[in-house]
Amino acid sequence: MRSWPAPNVPKLPGQSVPLRLYDTSAKQVRRTDPGPTAKMYVCGITPYDATHLGHANTYLAFDLVGRVWRDGGHEVHYTQNATDVDDPLLERAEQTGIDWQALAEREIELFRTDMEALRILPPREYVGVTEVVGEVADLIAQLSAKGVTYELDGDVYFSVSDAPKFGQVSGYSQAEMLGLFAERGGDPDRPGKRDPLDWLLWRAERPGEPAWDSTLGRGRPGWHVECTQIALANLGPGFDVAGGGSDLIFPHHECGASEGHAATGEWPFARFYTHAGMVALDGEKMSKSKGNLVFVSKLRGAHDPMAIRLVLLAHHYRADWEYTPDHLAAAEARLARWRSAVALEAGPDAEDVLATVRERLADDLDAPGALAAIDAWADRALAAGGSDTSAPDLVRDLADALLGVAL
Ligand code: 5CA
Ligand code: ZN
């Protein structure tokens, strides 16, 4: 599918700082060590509703990863999927009487517009699952040939007893896994399964549901295997970062990692599993199924997208937080202050600001720390009222290149 247009990223002078990032699997912050091309896969939307602040928070976190790597001279190869066929999408289409494909297309287009407005760097490949059903079926056939799957009434399951690394991404207990599996799209109680945690790879055609011809017959892919296939096909095994929100740790990334392991024989499938925190509204995680949503497209109607970006940057990406409208008011005030400061004829020297922003972002994406450094510079600039010696261009460029905030 089409991705979205890339914003300009200014080149910055001086020395970058190598990125350290929290790896959910290792339960610690480790230094990323990408080759000349850094490779990242981030799980995309299920397009049955508009982009909300929670989604934006997740894509912004990985946007920062890409920006820090670019600053370090790496090329960034970024791939993202869109789950453009899945139960929640089909259910919403059914409820609203809209054709499921039209619904997906409409919401994906809105997502692109939101991402562009927020100046999120686009993936090189933006892949809808419906574009690659045949390839996903071929991967499942490969897994079957390795003896890690079984069939149940025409559907195909991955057998968790053939997944020796299962549990290593999340580190969750069996009880936690069972609870989350049922909550997040799994079917622990289906009769005939060998283990409640066996997960669906292929769903044979059901009356009234979309289906594709494939080596496995007519049907459609289960959820996790789509991301394994799209990551493998575009990035190859052993890529640097697999990302998404923390609700994807289990079962999604856990199952995907075991699929990748079975398919390639390599472990880990991704070097880092990195997860953004959950954004809540009115005391509950923002989610399409609960309907407690703040849409980016709606906020954009009344507010500068750069202020929306600053709302998100003001929270550490791993934090869970609750959105309230005063976050936006604070971000607008900060944006206005920064813009006044860079509009001055001359400002305080900004090389130390660049060094601090680099250091803060390289430390597991400490965006709030980076904002504080620019706040302090803006305070100094405004206090001096333009009587300093340096041009404020470096601050404009570093805010743009590293934080994606156009001033
Ligand atoms: N299509 C799948 C991934 S393959 C999916 O989870 N789609 S989604 O539309 O439900 O979510 C898209 C991304 O936003 C995921 O990375 C998810 O973890 C993240 N996300 C969803 N809700 C929130 C939230 N309230 N706060 C932060 N991130 C969220
Ligand atoms: Zn995914």
Side-chain angles (χ1 to χ4, degrees), residues 351-366:
E351 271 171 26
D352 58 332
V353 184
L354 174 58
T356 307
V357 169
R358 276 180 164 145
E359 178 44 47
R360 287 298 80 226
L361 287 180
D363 181 9
D364 196 27
L365 307 176
D366 176 14

Side-chain angles (χ1 to χ4, degrees), residues 41-48 52-59 62 81-84 86 223 226-227 243-248 252-253 275-280 284-288 293:
Y41 182 88
V42 178
C43 285
I45 56 164
T46 304
Y48 66 88
H52 60 64
L53 271 184
H55 300 135
N57 189 60
T58 290
Y59 298 112
F62 295 97
N81 72 312
T83 307
D84 60 356
D86 200 7
W223 173 27
E226 71 187 52
C227 288
S246 59
D247 58 343
L248 297 187
H252 189 52
H253 286 167
H275 297 99
M278 289 291 115
V279 181
E284 277 202 88
K285 172 195 156 187
M286 232 177 248
S287 83
K288 288 177 278 209
L293 304 173

Side-chain angles (χ1 to χ4, degrees), residues 114 295-305 308:
D114 288 335
F295 292 123
V296 172
S297 43
K298 194 140 181 237
L299 288 183
R300 276 203 285 125
H303 303 275
D304 189 322
I308 303 172

Side-chain angles (χ1 to χ4, degrees), residues 49-392:
D49 215 337
T51 322
H52 60 64
L53 271 184
H55 300 135
N57 189 60
T58 290
Y59 298 112
L60 178 80
F62 295 97
D63 184 60
L64 296 180
V65 171
R67 286 173 184 274
V68 174
W69 277 340
R70 280 174 74 136
D71 184 45
H74 300 279
E75 247 200 79
V76 179
H77 186 168
Y78 175 21
T79 302
Q80 186 179 134
N81 72 312
T83 307
D84 60 356
V85 59
D86 200 7
D87 297 342
L89 172 71
L90 299 175
E91 283 159 21
R92 178 63 63 91
E94 175 90 30
Q95 283 160 15
T96 50
I98 304 172
D99 170 65
W100 67 272
Q101 282 160 304
L103 175 62
E105 252 174 59
R106 185 183 80 193
E107 299 307 337
I108 288 172
E109 185 50 29
L110 186 58
F111 175 72
R112 289 190 188 102
T113 321
D114 288 335
M115 291 296 104
E116 188 183 351
L118 292 175
R119 306 185 92 244
I120 306 270
L121 298 169
R124 192 185 295 180
E125 294 92 15
Y126 187 35
V127 185
V129 177
T130 57
E131 296 178 297
V132 294
V133 171
E135 286 91 327
V136 179
D138 292 347
L139 174 65
I140 297 168
Q142 274 178 45
L143 292 172
S144 296
K146 292 182 193 271
V148 297
T149 72
Y150 63 92
E151 233 186 275
L152 183 57
D153 300 333
D155 297 342
V156 181
Y157 279 85
F158 198 111
S159 168
V160 72
S161 64
D162 292 311
K165 306 287 189 186
F166 197 82
Q168 293 206 9
V169 171
S170 65
Y172 294 160
S173 69
Q174 183 76 5
E176 283 174 302
M177 287 190 201
L178 276 171
L180 289 171
F181 191 73
E183 214 176 277
R184 297 177 180 162
D187 54 357
D189 301 325
R190 180 169 175 184
K193 283 177 66 173
R194 295 180 188 165
D195 186 299
L197 291 177
D198 292 342
W199 66 92
L200 185 73
L201 294 169
W202 182 258
R203 180 172 163 90
E205 183 171 23
R206 309 284 200 275
E209 285 189 11
W212 288 258
D213 286 319
S214 80
T215 42
L216 305 172
R218 281 182 67 74
R220 61 180 163 98
W223 173 27
H224 317 302
V225 70
E226 71 187 52
C227 288
T228 307
Q229 165 60 22
I230 295 169
L232 265 179
N234 293 286
L235 302 172
F239 53 98
D240 294 288
V241 169
S246 59
D247 58 343
L248 297 187
I249 296 172
F250 191 91
H252 189 52
H253 286 167
E254 191 75 77
C255 295
S258 282
E259 290 164 353
H261 182 216
T264 65
E266 283 189 40
W267 185 264
F269 182 52
R271 296 196 181 109
F272 281 71
Y273 284 88
T274 297
H275 297 99
M278 289 291 115
V279 181
L281 183 73
D282 303 330
E284 277 202 88
K285 172 195 156 187
M286 232 177 248
S287 83
K288 288 177 278 209
S289 48
K290 291 197 191 95
N292 58 337
L293 304 173
V294 178
F295 292 123
V296 172
S297 43
K298 194 140 181 237
L299 288 183
R300 276 203 285 125
H303 303 275
D304 189 322
M306 293 301 95
I308 303 172
R309 200 168 161 114
L310 281 173
V311 167
L312 305 172
L313 288 166
H315 300 86
H316 189 265
Y317 81 99
R318 280 201 280 132
D320 295 327
W321 54 281
E322 178 161 345
Y323 173 75
T324 57
D326 50 303
H327 286 126
L328 196 50
E332 282 181 321
R334 173 177 262 148
L335 184 62
R337 203 166 166 75
W338 287 10
R339 283 191 171 147
S340 306
V342 296
L344 295 170
E345 293 272 306
D349 185 65
E351 271 171 26
D352 58 332
V353 184
L354 174 58
T356 307
V357 169
R358 276 180 164 145
E359 178 44 47
R360 287 298 80 226
L361 287 180
D363 181 9
D364 196 27
L365 307 176
D366 176 14
L371 299 194
I374 301 182
D375 284 342
W377 177 88
D379 287 347
R380 290 201 299 279
L382 292 168
S387 64
D388 278 301
T389 48
S390 299

